[in-house]
Each structure stands twice: as C-alpha cells, then as structure tokens.
Amino acid sequence: MVHMDVREKRYEVLDGLRGVAAIGVMLMHYSENTGRMLFVNADIAVDLFFVLSGFVLMHSYRSKLLLGLSAREYVRKRIIRLYPMFAISMAIGIPALIAAAMIGLADYPLRSIIVASLDNLLFLPYLGDHGVANMVSGAAHLPVEKYTVGEIFPANPSAWSLFFEMCASVALLVLIRLQRRDLIKLIIASAILLFGTGVLLGFEHKNAIPVFFGAGWGTRNFFAGFIRVSYGFSMGVLIYSLHENQTPLKFGRALSAVIRNDLALYLLFAVAIACPFGMKGLYPMAVIFFVAPLMVYCGANIAPTGRVGARVAHFLGWMSYPIYCLHFPIGRLIFMYFPGSEHRPAQAIALSVALTIVISVIVTKLLEEPVRTYLTKKFASRARVGLKAESVV
C-alpha cells in the first residue's frame, strides 16, 4: 500500500497569518515618512516569519531529509523557491535605486550601486555605509543625516531577511538531528544573546529605545541578524516538534481560549503589530519571545472557517511572498514620482498598495510560477521521484 505521511497536511491558517504579516510590513514601510505611520511595530512580523519558516520547513522537509534527500537537492529546492521572485524584485529595485541617486535622494555613487547589486544578486549582503531616503517624493530635499544608512540590500531593503532565511534553511540540516533538550538550550542561548545585543544596540538610539530588537537589515547591526534568526527559526522547529507530538502548553491553552478561529488569529496579530507603544523595548520583546511563538502554536491547530476562510487563507499565503519581495522597490518608485506625495500621503499609500497587489498577482502568475515550475522540473525532479518511490511500503 501507499504510506500517507501526515506531513502532507497544509497549515492554511499559518499561510494566512503570513499574509497578514506581509501586508503589515508593506503598510509600515509605505507610511514610515508620512507622519502617520501605520503598523508601527510591524518589524516584529519578520520575527514571526522566522518562526513560521522553522515550523513549515520542518513540516515540509524533515522526513524527506531523514529519508535520503541530499543536502544539495534540499538547498537547490530552497533556492528555486526563494530566488526567482527576489530576482524580479531586483529588476525593479536596481533602476529605482539609480533613479533615487540621480534625483538626489541617495548618496550612492554608480560604482557602489553596481557592487551592491552584484553582491545582492548572488544573495549576499552589501556592507556599505551609503544612505537613501525611502518612500519620499522626488520633490523633497531631505538632509543627508535623515537618510537610511547602510542597508545591506539597498535595491530592495526588505530582502535582508531573505538572506537570513537562506542561512536558516541550511541550518535546518543540523537542527533536524538535535535532541529536544539541545534545541531548547540553543533557543535559550539565542534569546539571551538577542536580549544582550538589543541592549547594546539600544545605546545607539540615545535612550529612545533602551532595548532594540530590529537588527539585521543594516551594516551596523548585520551580525545581530544571525542571533535574531537563530532564535526565531529554532523556536519554529521546537514548536513543530511540540505540535507533532501533541504536547500541550499551558499558555497555549490560555491563548487558544481567546483565538478560537482564523479570523481571531489574524485580527489579534494585526492589532499586535499596529500597537503604537514600544514601552522602551518591552513590548516588542514580549511579542517576539512569547506572543508570536504562541500564535504559531495555536494557528497550527486551527482550521479555516469554511470555504471562504480557506480561500482567504490560501490567497493571503499565496500573496505573502510576492508582496514582501516587491513592495519596497514599487513603493520607492511611486513615492518618488507621484505628484505631491509629500502633501497627499494617503493617495500615495493607496496607489502603492493597489499597484503592489496587482503587479504581484500578474508577476506571480505569468513569470515567477512558470519559472519555478521549469527550474523544479529541470533541477529538482529527480529527488522528488526518488522520495516518492521510498514512500511505497
């Protein structure tokens, strides 16, 4: 007979949660220089992404790797999944960065843009110290000291997390073989280091944020990104292990009493990242260390509410990666060239959101998915056939 692996299950509500997080990040970036910032704490969504990635990759690849999928084939699959949409975003982002430099909204010389772009196209960070004014009208004249300095993916700043996502994907090869007690030790050590680096980075904010957890995106905080992803991804791996073994969590049961369906989960996370309070770093710390992991734990046990809920979850999950990849370069261009965007930020945000969604749908359907299908058939099909053969017992 054919062995039916429980890992074939799809966690649709977690897909939907990822979509809500991606939309929150998009709205935060589009509104960051308008004076009325939306989803103020949406940078926490990246930590949720890392937890979700640990959970989902364990679900998708743990048994396959243990059954014989080679490390080379696994990494190849991850590159095929992540790179095409990233490359598309760079095709928009590089001209956008050049345009920003030409009209005085970036101090990147052409040589630095070329070097940064080549590094980034190889999925490597660019550790420079140039700056750019993001989501600002081309008619604006911001002083250089207000530029965002040292973005490691300057043509598409959001892509910084994809680099760490790829590093975490490779780390899964080791994490799947750790005993639970060793995994917990890794999580505790990462949490302590994350808090410690947060305190050190907080000094740079001159007491505005005593504990700063938004590391990884820039040259000055780049190495702290490894600690950030280590905690989130390892936590996701642990949550999957607990979920697979149906291990009850005291706080998980308490949160489940509040989160009874998918809509409640989406709404609660939206409220969490929209909360305008930082409480000197304590609020982000609580979400990163407790709320986000528990939401993933609870979301894994929730089914979509009917057909409509399933369709919404599917659409949100399907759109999450293209929105995350494409929104920054699209928004940068729109804000630069939309007439009067500094005086009409709501219109600029609405246009940016609408175009991001439309372009994401078109690009995904007509370009990214066909490219991924082709690359999978050409480079990753043999591993899939081999594993199918092993599932017959």
Side-chain angles (χ1 to χ4, degrees):
M1 67 177 180
V2 178
H3 173 65
M4 298 299 293
D5 196 329
V6 295
R7 294 173 181 81
E8 294 301 319
K9 174 184 176 182
R10 186 168 187 88
Y11 294 93
E12 296 167 300
V13 171
L14 294 183
D15 287 342
L17 183 61
R18 183 187 294 109
V20 172
I23 292 170
V25 171
M26 173 178 65
L27 291 173
M28 178 190 69
H29 284 149
Y30 286 168
S31 61
E32 62 184 344
N33 286 319
T34 64
R36 294 183 179 180
M37 190 171 178
L38 303 172
F39 293 94
V40 175
N41 281 301
D43 54 340
I44 301 172
V46 175
D47 299 279
L48 177 77
F49 291 148
F50 291 150
V51 178
L52 283 169
S53 293
F55 185 98
V56 171
L57 290 185
M58 275 287 284
H59 170 68
S60 300
Y61 288 106
R62 179 178 179 273
S63 62
K64 295 175 184 178
L65 288 166
L66 294 177
L67 282 171
L69 178 67
S70 70
R72 178 183 296 181
E73 292 293 341
Y74 163 68
V75 172
R76 185 179 295 170
K77 286 173 177 286
R78 293 302 295 148
I79 293 173
I80 290 173
R81 176 66 186 96
L82 295 176
Y83 195 83
M85 186 60 73
F86 165 72
I88 294 168
S89 76
M90 291 294 288
I92 303 171
I94 293 172
L97 181 59
I98 293 173
M102 290 178 64
I103 63 177
L105 290 179
D107 63 3
Y108 282 82
L110 181 60
R111 178 179 179 180
S112 295
I113 293 177
I114 293 173
V115 172
S117 300
L118 290 175
D119 283 351
N120 293 168
L121 286 170
L122 292 173
F123 235 21
L124 298 174
Y126 171 71
L127 302 179
D129 58 358
H130 299 289
V132 58
N134 292 316
M135 309 307 166
V136 174
S137 168
H141 298 284
L142 291 183
V144 174
E145 57 266 22
K146 291 191 175 182
Y147 286 5
T148 303
V149 178
E151 291 167 329
I152 62 174
F153 281 78
N156 185 5
S158 296
W160 72 268
S161 66
L162 303 183
F163 166 77
F164 290 104
E165 176 93 12
M166 197 65 221
C167 293
S169 296
V170 175
L172 183 70
L173 296 168
V174 175
L175 294 177
I176 60 171
R177 292 175 170 81
L178 288 183
Q179 297 293 323
R180 184 181 295 181
R181 62 178 180 274
D182 295 322
L183 184 60
I184 292 174
K185 290 178 182 178
L186 174 61
I187 292 170
I188 293 173
S190 299
I192 293 171
L193 288 173
L194 183 59
F195 178 78
T197 55
V199 172
L200 293 175
L201 290 170
F203 288 126
E204 294 187 8
H205 292 80
K206 299 179 180 179
N207 297 322
I209 309 176
V211 186
F212 177 73
F213 291 102
W217 59 267
T219 301
R220 292 181 180 179
N221 55 51
F222 166 66
F223 291 103
F226 288 103
I227 300 172
R228 189 176 179 183
V229 71
S230 175
Y231 169 77
F233 191 84
S234 300
M235 179 61 78
V237 170
L238 176 63
I239 292 171
Y240 181 78
S241 175
L242 296 173
H243 169 76
E244 185 183 41
N245 293 299
Q246 298 182 341
T247 304
L249 294 179
K250 182 184 298 184
F251 293 109
R253 288 197 299 267
L255 193 59
S256 295
V258 177
I259 304 174
R260 295 184 177 275
N261 55 47
D262 48 354
L263 180 60
L265 180 68
Y266 304 155
L267 182 60
L268 182 60
F269 187 73
V271 170
I273 61 177
C275 176
F277 305 109
M279 294 188 292
K280 299 187 179 298
L282 295 178
Y283 178 77
M285 182 173 68
V287 175
I288 292 169
F289 288 159
F290 302 105
V291 178
L294 286 173
M295 282 187 173
V296 174
Y297 177 84
C298 293
N301 295 299
I302 297 175
T305 306
R307 291 184 179 180
V308 174
R311 290 176 179 175
V312 169
H314 173 76
F315 181 75
L316 287 172
W318 180 70
M319 289 292 293
S320 62
Y321 187 54
I323 284 177
Y324 186 78
C325 275
L326 299 177
H327 79 272
F328 211 107
I330 291 173
R332 181 180 275 172
L333 281 171
I334 291 172
F335 272 82
M336 280 195 298
Y337 292 110
F338 183 72
S341 60
E342 70 274 25
H343 303 299
R344 296 183 293 167
Q347 290 90 331
I349 292 172
L351 179 61
S352 298
V353 170
L355 284 180
T356 297
I357 293 174
V358 170
I359 293 172
S360 294
V361 171
I362 294 173
V363 165
T364 302
K365 277 289 186 183
L366 300 183
L367 186 57
E368 192 258 359
E369 287 185 343
V371 168
R372 277 202 293 125
T373 299
Y374 169 77
L375 293 175
T376 299
K377 288 180 179 178
K378 186 171 180 62
F379 296 109
S381 59
R382 286 181 297 175
R384 185 172 65 250
V385 170
L387 285 168
K388 282 185 177 180
E390 289 195 38
S391 68
V392 179
V393 295

